[in-house]
Amino acid sequence: MNTLEIKGDWNITKGKLKQKWASLTDDDLQYVEGKHDELLGRIQKRTGETREMVEKAIKESSASCGCN
């Protein structure tokens, strides 16, 4: 997964991730250029999921909204 895949329409993707993991906050999902690994780490820490599962969820969420 690359940075462009995540950037897409981030607001839609954030909403889908919050639906999947209700414990995520807007602060957890704050995307900052160049902080891809930090974002994944925040989601991992909050949800207890593996990095691979988090990347898969982000990719699926952005694909289902037509963001990439």
Side-chain angles (χ1 to χ4, degrees):
M1 173 177 300
N2 65 37
T3 305
L4 290 177
E5 288 176 325
I6 290 178
K7 283 172 121 177
D9 191 338
W10 185 237
N11 288 328
I12 294 172
T13 302
K14 280 194 314 190
K16 291 187 179 290
L17 292 173
K18 285 200 271 188
Q19 288 173 9
K20 182 173 180 69
W21 294 304
S23 63
L24 292 174
T25 66
D26 286 332
D27 285 341
D28 293 327
L29 295 172
Q30 188 174 42
Y31 180 79
V32 179
E33 187 82 31
K35 300 277 186 167
H36 173 80
D37 289 332
E38 182 180 333
L39 172 66
L40 292 175
R42 283 184 188 190
I43 297 172
Q44 274 185 272
K45 182 177 180 182
R46 181 71 75 166
T47 64
E49 297 286 351
T50 65
R51 180 182 177 101
E52 292 77 21
M53 281 297 296
V54 171
E55 286 180 333
K56 181 180 176 188
I58 292 172
K59 192 170 196 167
E60 287 173 353
S61 296
S62 63
S64 67
C65 73
C67 299
N68 50 346

